[in-house]
């Protein structure tokens, strides 16, 4: 049975999750891909305040396609997470508690997840149309000029994922591949 998680997440929420746990997310999550991550980290590097409160939040690495009639978005599948590895530790330092994507992560990200009590959740690649059915509302809140790579505020209901890397550095990708 899947565990329910409802952002914003606390340290206790994320520290209780273990690699391999199935979860469903209910509430608000945010999207961000490469271009949005670069902008957010650029803001931090300038010593400025982020335009988005990340404390306890979840970022989903997706760029939703335009909505179909009667839907909040079109397909919204995960993108390859390793492209965000250079940016992820900086955002975790800002209180981000979970990221959702697909594929393995670098040692630096695994260390940062452990250090900040955060988790990496895997969503099923190739299932973007099905995952979009779990999105009840979507609104662009930052960087609209980036098109599908803008930052969206999504409301999700029973959005499925698996804890791929937990806050204790247990990693399904490495243990499953024998590394």
């Amino acid at each position: 049975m899947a565990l329910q998680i409802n952002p914003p997440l606390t340290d206790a929420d994320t520290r209780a999750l273990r690699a391999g746990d199935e979860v469903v997310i209910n509430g608000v999550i945010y999207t961000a891909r490469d271009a949005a991550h670069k902008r957010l980290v650029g803001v931090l590097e300038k010593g400025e305040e982020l335009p988005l409160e990340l404390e306890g939040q979840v970022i989903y690495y997706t760029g939703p396609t335009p909505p179909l009639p009667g839907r909040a978005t079109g397909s919204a599948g995960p993108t390859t997470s390793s492209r965000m590895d250079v940016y992820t530790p900086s955002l975790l330092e800002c209180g981000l508690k979970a990221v959702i994507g697909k594929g393995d992560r670098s040692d630096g990200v695994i260390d940062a997840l452990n250090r900040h009590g955060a988790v990496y959740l895997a969503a099923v690649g190739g299932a973007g149309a099905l995952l979009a059915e779990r999105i009840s509302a979507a609104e662009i809140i930052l960087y609209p000029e980036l098109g599908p790579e803008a930052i969206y505020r999504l409301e999700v209901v029973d959005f499925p994922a698996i804890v791929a890397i937990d806050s204790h550095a247990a990693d399904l990708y490495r243990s499953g591949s024998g590394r």
Side-chain angles (χ1 to χ4, degrees):
M1 184 163 140
L3 303 169
Q4 290 210 18
I5 58 175
N6 306 328
L9 304 174
T10 66
D11 235 19
D13 293 331
T14 54
R15 292 280 184 199
L17 296 172
R18 296 288 183 259
D21 285 348
E22 295 177 28
V23 299
V24 291
I25 306 164
N26 289 286
V28 172
I29 65 175
Y30 297 92
T31 71
R33 288 180 46 132
D34 316 47
H37 273 75
K38 184 175 183 177
R39 287 194 185 185
L40 291 172
V41 170
V43 167
L44 292 173
E45 288 172 346
K46 291 178 188 173
E48 298 172 358
E49 188 173 319
L50 284 176
L52 172 67
E53 174 58 51
L54 291 181
E55 186 68 37
Q57 299 304 324
V58 177
I59 288 181
Y60 180 27
Y61 303 148
T62 190
T65 63
L68 301 171
R71 299 263 188 209
T73 70
S75 184
T79 196
T80 303
S81 301
S82 60
R83 293 197 317 263
M84 271 54 76
D85 281 3
V86 68
Y87 308 113
T88 301
S90 295
L91 298 181
L92 293 172
E93 285 180 27
C94 295
L96 182 65
K97 282 296 181 190
V99 292
I100 307 168
K102 69 178 182 181
D104 62 354
R105 305 305 299 266
S106 68
D107 289 340
V109 169
I110 294 168
D111 291 343
L113 290 166
N114 177 249
R115 194 170 50 256
H116 298 291
V119 295
Y120 171 50
L121 306 173
V124 178
L130 292 172
L131 292 170
E133 291 178 4
R134 300 299 182 173
I135 301 170
S136 60
E139 171 190 14
I140 294 175
I141 60 165
L142 286 169
Y143 314 131
E145 67 278 7
L146 296 179
E149 289 205 36
I151 295 180
Y152 285 75
R153 178 187 183 276
L154 303 179
E155 292 180 27
V156 297
V157 178
D158 293 336
F159 189 93
I162 296 171
V163 179
I165 304 171
D166 65 27
S167 64
H168 310 283
D171 180 348
L172 284 184
Y173 290 102
R174 294 179 184 200
S175 64
S177 67
R179 289 193 279 173

